[in-house]
Amino acid sequence: MITAQTLWFTGLSGSGKSTLASASATFFRAHGLACEIVDGDVLRDTVCADLGFSREDRRENIRRAAVLCRDLNERGIVAIAALISPYREDREMACEIVGAPFKEIWVATPIAECERRDPKGLYRKARAGDIPSFTGISAPYERPLNPDLVVHAYNAPISECVATIDIRFGLSSLAHRVAA
């Protein structure tokens, strides 16, 4: 029996979390795994639309995401979460909520690269003072101290990063054993 897991991607805005989550989901689905993406941007537009970016609201955002992941895991679905989740304490809370199948994956992209990419123009706005409390600029990002995996998506092909995740956590091999 496959034990569903939560793969929790954390990193700065523009680090590649959502891209990596999407590519991972495509790969795992192709190998017969049921999985769903819990994306921070989508949450902010839906179940967390009532939240701002205060410390308390950021914590509540992570709590809600963790509950969603736990619920998916309980239904046998791999949850692939892509959230900045800037505070260690909040990621630890998410791990406690989800339980043992929680895997913290740090998408360790340097801030200079995130700013170079800046897909939404957020760093430019934050540097201009138009976005208060922007993670990495005017609000902290506490890098994981002991993540289950560190991925350097900024200088490796996404397919290579997904293969590394698969090898580390063995999800596709589990799917093949169950199918046999």
Side-chain angles (χ1 to χ4, degrees):
M1 181 90 175
I2 295 174
T3 302
Q5 298 181 28
T6 291
L7 304 179
W8 190 279
F9 294 95
T10 180
L12 294 169
S13 178
S15 64
K17 298 177 305 298
S18 293
T19 300
L20 194 51
S22 179
S24 296
T26 298
F27 177 84
F28 292 130
R29 287 179 186 134
H31 286 83
L33 286 176
C35 59
E36 291 295 330
I37 297 172
V38 177
D39 187 89
D41 290 339
V42 174
L43 288 177
R44 286 282 183 182
D45 290 337
T46 57
V47 299
C48 295
D50 61 319
L51 300 175
F53 291 91
S54 69
R55 178 68 185 98
E56 297 77 22
D57 284 355
R58 287 175 186 257
R59 183 172 178 78
E60 177 60 14
N61 183 60
I62 298 306
R63 189 195 69 75
R64 291 180 191 181
V67 169
L68 285 171
C69 292
R70 182 192 64 211
D71 291 348
L72 288 166
N73 289 166
E74 287 174 354
R75 295 186 352 235
I77 299 169
V78 174
I80 302 173
L83 295 100
I84 293 171
S85 46
Y87 297 101
R88 284 185 203 110
E89 178 182 43
D90 293 349
R91 292 190 302 268
E92 290 168 6
M93 173 193 62
C95 181
E96 289 173 18
I97 290 169
V98 171
F102 185 94
K103 307 296 184 193
E104 183 179 50
I105 302 169
W106 179 27
V107 184
T109 303
I111 193 165
E113 176 63 17
C114 294
E115 286 192 74
R116 186 192 67 74
R117 293 175 181 181
D118 203 8
K120 302 171 196 163
L122 299 176
Y123 284 97
R124 186 178 67 256
K125 291 177 185 175
R127 294 265 185 217
D130 297 335
I131 302 176
S133 298
F134 188 77
T135 303
I137 304 296
S138 52
Y141 177 80
E142 299 172 353
R143 71 174 192 83
L145 297 177
N146 295 300
D148 294 290
L149 181 65
V150 177
V151 177
H152 299 281
Y154 66 96
N155 65 359
I158 291 297
S159 59
E160 190 176 300
C161 296
V162 171
T164 299
I165 292 164
D166 182 44
I167 290 166
R168 176 66 176 90
F169 303 117
L171 291 169
S172 68
S173 64
L174 285 173
H176 288 301
R177 275 188 254 145
V178 169

